[in-house]
Amino acid sequence: MLSVLYPEVYRLIKSIPGGLIPIGVGSERTPILVVKVPKEYILAAKVNGQFKIYLAPISYKQMDTVCLISAFFDDQDEPLVVSTPLLNDEVTSLFSKLFRSERVKIFFLDEHSREYLSYSSSISVTQESLQLFEESDLMEPIIEDLFAIQNLGRNWFGEIGDKNYQDAITLSLDENLYPEDTGVIDLRKDNLSYEGAQGFEFSRLEREEPGDFQENDIIRCLQSVFSPNQIYKSPRRTYDNEEVCDVLVVTESRVLLIQAKDSPNIERILRAEMPRKRKKTEKSLDSALRQTRGSIRYFNRERAKFQFICGEKSHLIDTENLSVYTVVIVKELFDDQSNEYAENVLELSNDLSVKCVPFDYPEFYNFCIKIAGEEAFFKTLDNLHRYAFEKHYFPRMLFRPR
């Protein structure tokens, strides 16, 4: 495993939010590629036995550059993609070495740096692709330019896709470096100090029952913003022991109730056709909103007091001066459905006088790790909610991976 074989590399990878990360190890002749992406991307690579990298030619600010578009085919026409601009740095040199090699070691980690799969892989690169890569202008690391190149790359791939483009780089997952059914057990106290935590967390790539896994992942995201003692997992009502919400956050000035819905991360669900996935998103969002209504009604049951059970402990919180927010999180949101789901979300906000913001999980992860503290977190929720009320549309944030 990467953390065992190359601990110094693993420490570096933990500090990187995600993407394709080529690694140079002095004593290692075979290039190493770390693929740090959500679980759905990893499963798509596993079931297909490969993933592809497309070189998107981009003209930008009088430069002819290339953006790497890595495609993980859960759907043939609309795969999951990661967009990687080429920069004038060592990473591009490592990509160049990798693309000139016959084999590469690939390590798949999820967004929380949990390693699930590793392969010895063959790599197929056409001479045309190699020439395009080597002759491209390289970008300087200016944030605004990188965002622009990422979006131009995605737009290019959206137009051309996998059709009539024969120069894709193919990475075939030929040989397991360790068994594919590996699970991860986390015993670190700094990850397990929130209210309702057990003494360990178990995670795996393929998930038949995703609920508990997803709640743990959401809490991991929240821990980059909030203190562990502000986070409560699966708080329960006092009168019937049923869940109030999936995750609760209580600060000195605010309360955040989170309701989440995920789907099993298994091949059958991954292979579902896109219309079915869209329908599933609609149903998941509607279900989360219904449960959020119940959460708020319980929260408002007794004025200025919020009583609940978490783990084995009972909690009573004075809520008289606390602002209330709600967030619903689903597996995936589609941009062209925003007008439809915005109407339902805003209806809940109007009915219950509470701010509600929808996310898909990859976007929520990126939001949490790139936000600077509690004030910025809630200010962003305020801005998203205000925009939606004015435009009847929830904007998507630029740093999402798809």
PDB file of all heavy atoms in Angstrom, residues 322-334:
ATOM      1  N   LEU A 322     -30.058  31.514  18.375  1.00  0.00           N
ATOM      2  CA  LEU A 322     -29.312  30.803  17.346  1.00  0.00           C
ATOM      3  C   LEU A 322     -30.012  30.918  15.989  1.00  0.00           C
ATOM      4  O   LEU A 322     -31.230  30.747  15.893  1.00  0.00           O
ATOM      5  CB  LEU A 322     -29.168  29.323  17.715  1.00  0.00           C
ATOM      6  CG  LEU A 322     -28.449  28.991  19.030  1.00  0.00           C
ATOM      7  CD1 LEU A 322     -28.296  27.482  19.178  1.00  0.00           C
ATOM      8  CD2 LEU A 322     -27.083  29.669  19.086  1.00  0.00           C
ATOM      9  N   SER A 323     -29.238  31.208  14.961  1.00  0.00           N
ATOM     10  CA  SER A 323     -29.760  31.177  13.584  1.00  0.00           C
ATOM     11  C   SER A 323     -29.763  29.732  13.101  1.00  0.00           C
ATOM     12  O   SER A 323     -28.833  28.970  13.384  1.00  0.00           O
ATOM     13  CB  SER A 323     -28.882  32.027  12.668  1.00  0.00           C
ATOM     14  OG  SER A 323     -28.854  33.373  13.102  1.00  0.00           O
ATOM     15  N   VAL A 324     -30.805  29.365  12.344  1.00  0.00           N
ATOM     16  CA  VAL A 324     -30.980  27.975  11.930  1.00  0.00           C
ATOM     17  C   VAL A 324     -30.745  27.841  10.422  1.00  0.00           C
ATOM     18  O   VAL A 324     -31.295  28.606   9.624  1.00  0.00           O
ATOM     19  CB  VAL A 324     -32.387  27.463  12.285  1.00  0.00           C
ATOM     20  CG1 VAL A 324     -32.511  25.989  11.918  1.00  0.00           C
ATOM     21  CG2 VAL A 324     -32.676  27.668  13.758  1.00  0.00           C
ATOM     22  N   TYR A 325     -29.937  26.861  10.063  1.00  0.00           N
ATOM     23  CA  TYR A 325     -29.652  26.540   8.665  1.00  0.00           C
ATOM     24  C   TYR A 325     -29.918  25.054   8.441  1.00  0.00           C
ATOM     25  O   TYR A 325     -29.753  24.240   9.355  1.00  0.00           O
ATOM     26  CB  TYR A 325     -28.192  26.830   8.316  1.00  0.00           C
ATOM     27  CG  TYR A 325     -27.791  28.272   8.350  1.00  0.00           C
ATOM     28  CD1 TYR A 325     -27.559  28.929   9.561  1.00  0.00           C
ATOM     29  CD2 TYR A 325     -27.625  28.997   7.177  1.00  0.00           C
ATOM     30  CE1 TYR A 325     -27.177  30.257   9.600  1.00  0.00           C
ATOM     31  CE2 TYR A 325     -27.237  30.327   7.196  1.00  0.00           C
ATOM     32  CZ  TYR A 325     -27.021  30.956   8.418  1.00  0.00           C
ATOM     33  OH  TYR A 325     -26.637  32.275   8.445  1.00  0.00           O
ATOM     34  N   THR A 326     -30.287  24.719   7.213  1.00  0.00           N
ATOM     35  CA  THR A 326     -30.388  23.313   6.837  1.00  0.00           C
ATOM     36  C   THR A 326     -29.658  23.089   5.518  1.00  0.00           C
ATOM     37  O   THR A 326     -29.609  23.980   4.655  1.00  0.00           O
ATOM     38  CB  THR A 326     -31.858  22.864   6.692  1.00  0.00           C
ATOM     39  OG1 THR A 326     -32.486  23.613   5.644  1.00  0.00           O
ATOM     40  CG2 THR A 326     -32.634  23.056   7.976  1.00  0.00           C
ATOM     41  N   VAL A 327     -29.080  21.915   5.399  1.00  0.00           N
ATOM     42  CA  VAL A 327     -28.397  21.503   4.168  1.00  0.00           C
ATOM     43  C   VAL A 327     -28.884  20.101   3.804  1.00  0.00           C
ATOM     44  O   VAL A 327     -29.009  19.248   4.691  1.00  0.00           O
ATOM     45  CB  VAL A 327     -26.860  21.512   4.359  1.00  0.00           C
ATOM     46  CG1 VAL A 327     -26.167  20.661   3.305  1.00  0.00           C
ATOM     47  CG2 VAL A 327     -26.321  22.944   4.307  1.00  0.00           C
ATOM     48  N   VAL A 328     -29.169  19.877   2.538  1.00  0.00           N
ATOM     49  CA  VAL A 328     -29.478  18.531   2.056  1.00  0.00           C
ATOM     50  C   VAL A 328     -28.382  18.122   1.076  1.00  0.00           C
ATOM     51  O   VAL A 328     -27.943  18.922   0.242  1.00  0.00           O
ATOM     52  CB  VAL A 328     -30.877  18.445   1.401  1.00  0.00           C
ATOM     53  CG1 VAL A 328     -31.961  18.655   2.441  1.00  0.00           C
ATOM     54  CG2 VAL A 328     -31.037  19.453   0.275  1.00  0.00           C
ATOM     55  N   ILE A 329     -27.936  16.886   1.205  1.00  0.00           N
ATOM     56  CA  ILE A 329     -26.824  16.386   0.396  1.00  0.00           C
ATOM     57  C   ILE A 329     -27.253  15.101  -0.294  1.00  0.00           C
ATOM     58  O   ILE A 329     -27.745  14.169   0.353  1.00  0.00           O
ATOM     59  CB  ILE A 329     -25.584  16.103   1.272  1.00  0.00           C
ATOM     60  CG1 ILE A 329     -25.158  17.377   2.014  1.00  0.00           C
ATOM     61  CG2 ILE A 329     -24.423  15.579   0.425  1.00  0.00           C
ATOM     62  CD1 ILE A 329     -24.057  17.145   3.037  1.00  0.00           C
ATOM     63  N   VAL A 330     -27.083  15.060  -1.614  1.00  0.00           N
ATOM     64  CA  VAL A 330     -27.388  13.860  -2.388  1.00  0.00           C
ATOM     65  C   VAL A 330     -26.135  13.429  -3.146  1.00  0.00           C
ATOM     66  O   VAL A 330     -25.117  14.125  -3.143  1.00  0.00           O
ATOM     67  CB  VAL A 330     -28.556  14.092  -3.372  1.00  0.00           C
ATOM     68  CG1 VAL A 330     -29.849  14.387  -2.613  1.00  0.00           C
ATOM     69  CG2 VAL A 330     -28.245  15.224  -4.344  1.00  0.00           C
ATOM     70  N   LYS A 331     -26.222  12.300  -3.786  1.00  0.00           N
ATOM     71  CA  LYS A 331     -25.057  11.735  -4.470  1.00  0.00           C
ATOM     72  C   LYS A 331     -24.586  12.613  -5.618  1.00  0.00           C
ATOM     73  O   LYS A 331     -23.389  12.849  -5.795  1.00  0.00           O
ATOM     74  CB  LYS A 331     -25.402  10.337  -4.988  1.00  0.00           C
ATOM     75  CG  LYS A 331     -24.243   9.595  -5.620  1.00  0.00           C
ATOM     76  CD  LYS A 331     -24.635   8.155  -5.900  1.00  0.00           C
ATOM     77  CE  LYS A 331     -23.458   7.324  -6.360  1.00  0.00           C
ATOM     78  NZ  LYS A 331     -23.799   5.892  -6.460  1.00  0.00           N
ATOM     79  N   GLU A 332     -25.540  13.110  -6.411  1.00  0.00           N
ATOM     80  CA  GLU A 332     -25.170  13.889  -7.591  1.00  0.00           C
ATOM     81  C   GLU A 332     -26.306  14.822  -7.958  1.00  0.00           C
ATOM     82  O   GLU A 332     -27.472  14.444  -7.942  1.00  0.00           O
ATOM     83  CB  GLU A 332     -24.857  12.952  -8.766  1.00  0.00           C
ATOM     84  CG  GLU A 332     -24.380  13.655 -10.014  1.00  0.00           C
ATOM     85  CD  GLU A 332     -23.897  12.683 -11.090  1.00  0.00           C
ATOM     86  OE1 GLU A 332     -24.278  11.504 -11.043  1.00  0.00           O
ATOM     87  OE2 GLU A 332     -23.139  13.126 -11.973  1.00  0.00           O
ATOM     88  N   LEU A 333     -25.964  16.076  -8.270  1.00  0.00           N
ATOM     89  CA  LEU A 333     -26.920  17.043  -8.796  1.00  0.00           C
ATOM     90  C   LEU A 333     -26.541  17.374 -10.232  1.00  0.00           C
ATOM     91  O   LEU A 333     -25.356  17.412 -10.584  1.00  0.00           O
ATOM     92  CB  LEU A 333     -26.912  18.329  -7.956  1.00  0.00           C
ATOM     93  CG  LEU A 333     -27.519  18.242  -6.556  1.00  0.00           C
ATOM     94  CD1 LEU A 333     -27.284  19.556  -5.805  1.00  0.00           C
ATOM     95  CD2 LEU A 333     -29.002  17.917  -6.606  1.00  0.00           C
ATOM     96  N   PHE A 334     -27.541  17.622 -11.051  1.00  0.00           N
ATOM     97  CA  PHE A 334     -27.324  17.936 -12.457  1.00  0.00           C
ATOM     98  C   PHE A 334     -27.683  19.398 -12.703  1.00  0.00           C
ATOM     99  O   PHE A 334     -28.750  19.869 -12.302  1.00  0.00           O
ATOM    100  CB  PHE A 334     -28.165  17.021 -13.344  1.00  0.00           C
ATOM    101  CG  PHE A 334     -27.810  15.564 -13.209  1.00  0.00           C
ATOM    102  CD1 PHE A 334     -28.472  14.758 -12.288  1.00  0.00           C
ATOM    103  CD2 PHE A 334     -26.807  15.011 -13.981  1.00  0.00           C
ATOM    104  CE1 PHE A 334     -28.142  13.415 -12.151  1.00  0.00           C
ATOM    105  CE2 PHE A 334     -26.463  13.676 -13.845  1.00  0.00           C
ATOM    106  CZ  PHE A 334     -27.130  12.876 -12.932  1.00  0.00           C
TER     107      PHE A 334
END
